[in-house]
Amino acid sequence: MKNIAVIGAGTMGNGIAHTFAQFGCKVQLIDVSENALEKGMATIAKNLDRMVDKGSISAENKAETLANITTFTDLKEGVKNVGLVVEAATENVDLKLHIFKQLDALCEPDTILASNTSSISITQIAAVTSRPTKVIGMHFMNPVPIMKLVEIIRGYNTSDEVTQTIMDLSKQLHKVPVEVNDYPGFVANRILMPMINESIETLYNGVAGVTEIDTVMKLGMAHPMGPLQLADFIGLDVCLSILNVMYDGFKNPKYAPCPLLVNMVMAGKLGVKSGEGFYDYSESRKAEKVAHMFSSK
């Protein structure tokens, strides 16, 4: 388990790669886009600089972490000689199934295949492989280097041995793994997303404004960030995708996404990553302020 492949160099993927590399693993970070890899590595370097400035790691630790990461655009080359692959691609069922079919064909028979999916069935993902006992969910929280929780999701056929291996590995990363069963949304998003959706409904129905809703939840419920600001940080497209997965899985109208959320996503207002969501992030300093709030935890 000292050789790890991570698929996807976006927000979650580069955070996962950073975390494994920081704790001594050799990480093969894979993305089809060279530009995404460059941005991912720049983000890792910037986050490590913050940690050095805060005194949580040394400059030597930063150099060692970066040296532990090698980037690849070719999947076949990127998954060679690894004991674990963590997929952190876009939250899209068809894309994930396609990736896992490829991984099953390219990886050694003993390689464990994990998905960072936040809502999609691990059992469904495992079913497209010839190794369902070795497929598991490893759902990190954002920002990965800071947040302690990892949801460990067992598919229907995931073995006890693989589950324990991933639980132990998570602890080696100084994370707190929590084992959950394979139902849409798992635990974190099954509870979080309806709250975010209800907050959007509250705005949609004119009960209160964005700032007012977030202020009530921050001051009244001691949430560090209001649900609408959190939705912006997660990405409104990601929130919509997760709600759709839960609605399709449970056929319960309480998971149906609010029309306002649907319209905002169609209009390209996705939150921090697009520069506008429930809040305006068009000025770079505003986006940096949100990032700093999380990095200072």
Side-chain angles (χ1 to χ4, degrees):
M1 282 301 160
K2 284 296 182 182
N3 294 332
I4 312 292
V6 177
I7 298 177
T11 300
M12 295 304 295
N14 71 60
I16 293 167
H18 170 163
T19 301
F20 275 108
Q22 188 180 333
F23 287 91
C25 294
K26 298 295 183 182
V27 179
Q28 297 168 195
L29 179 59
I30 308 161
D31 199 293
V32 293
S33 167
E34 186 67 49
N35 185 52
L37 288 168
E38 291 173 2
K39 287 183 177 179
M41 291 302 297
T43 297
I44 293 170
K46 182 171 65 175
N47 289 336
L48 288 167
D49 283 336
R50 288 198 189 107
M51 298 173 81
V52 171
D53 291 342
K54 290 165 60 179
S56 54
I57 65 170
S58 67
E60 290 76 13
N61 294 147
K62 173 195 170 181
E64 289 167 1
T65 299
L66 291 173
N68 281 337
I69 305 172
T70 307
T71 60
F72 295 85
T73 54
D74 183 80
L75 184 63
K76 183 177 180 180
E77 290 298 315
V79 298
K80 278 185 178 178
N81 304 315
V82 298
L84 169 68
V85 179
V86 181
E87 170 272 319
T90 304
E91 193 73 352
N92 176 283
V93 175
D94 292 336
L95 175 62
K96 289 186 187 293
L97 296 183
H98 176 67
I99 289 171
F100 272 79
K101 284 180 183 177
Q102 290 181 290
L103 292 176
D104 189 46
L106 295 172
C107 294
E108 296 294 327
D110 289 337
T111 302
I112 296 173
L113 306 181
S115 177
N116 183 59
T117 179
S118 54
S119 62
I120 297 168
S121 169
I122 298 301
T123 302
Q124 182 182 9
I125 291 172
V128 302
T129 75
S130 61
R131 64 182 87 195
T133 60
K134 296 184 184 299
V135 178
I136 194 165
M138 201 175 185
H139 179 209
F140 291 86
M141 304 294 122
N142 186 28
V144 180
I146 305 298
M147 301 294 276
K148 292 295 186 183
L149 175 65
V150 183
E151 266 190 313
I152 306 299
I153 305 102
R154 298 183 65 132
Y156 188 82
N157 291 303
T158 307
S159 71
D160 291 341
E161 180 184 3
V162 165
T163 302
Q164 191 58 54
T165 296
I166 296 302
M167 294 283 283
D168 292 342
L169 179 60
S170 299
K171 292 174 184 176
Q172 291 170 26
L173 302 176
H174 293 191
K175 301 299 185 187
V176 178
V178 177
E179 182 183 336
V180 305
N181 290 319
D182 188 21
Y183 292 95
F186 316 131
V187 171
N189 282 315
R190 185 167 179 173
I191 295 170
L192 174 63
M193 286 301 155
M195 183 191 75
I196 287 176
N197 198 43
E198 191 63 30
S199 302
I200 301 171
E201 286 278 2
T202 302
L203 176 66
Y204 181 59
N205 292 329
V207 178
V210 171
T211 304
E212 289 76 13
I213 291 167
D214 277 354
T215 299
V216 167
M217 296 304 289
K218 286 190 287 185
L219 299 185
M221 285 69 186
H223 291 191
M225 179 180 282
L228 298 176
Q229 189 178 19
L230 178 57
D232 276 354
F233 187 80
I234 293 168
L236 301 191
D237 54 336
V238 176
C239 293
L240 178 60
S241 176
I242 295 169
L243 284 164
N244 280 330
V245 166
M246 292 196 293
Y247 182 60
D248 290 343
F250 291 117
K251 301 297 188 289
N252 188 323
K254 74 177 181 180
Y255 299 114
C258 176
L260 175 59
L261 174 62
V262 175
N263 282 342
M264 289 180 73
V265 171
M266 285 195 296
K269 299 182 187 302
L270 309 180
V272 174
K273 62 186 171 185
S274 70
E276 185 179 358
F278 293 106
Y279 293 86
D280 182 3
Y281 306 92
S282 56
E283 297 175 34
S284 59
R285 61 183 179 82
K286 293 182 179 180
E288 288 171 3
K289 183 178 179 182
V290 175
H292 177 71
M293 186 186 329
F294 273 76
S295 67
S296 62
K297 282 188 176 183

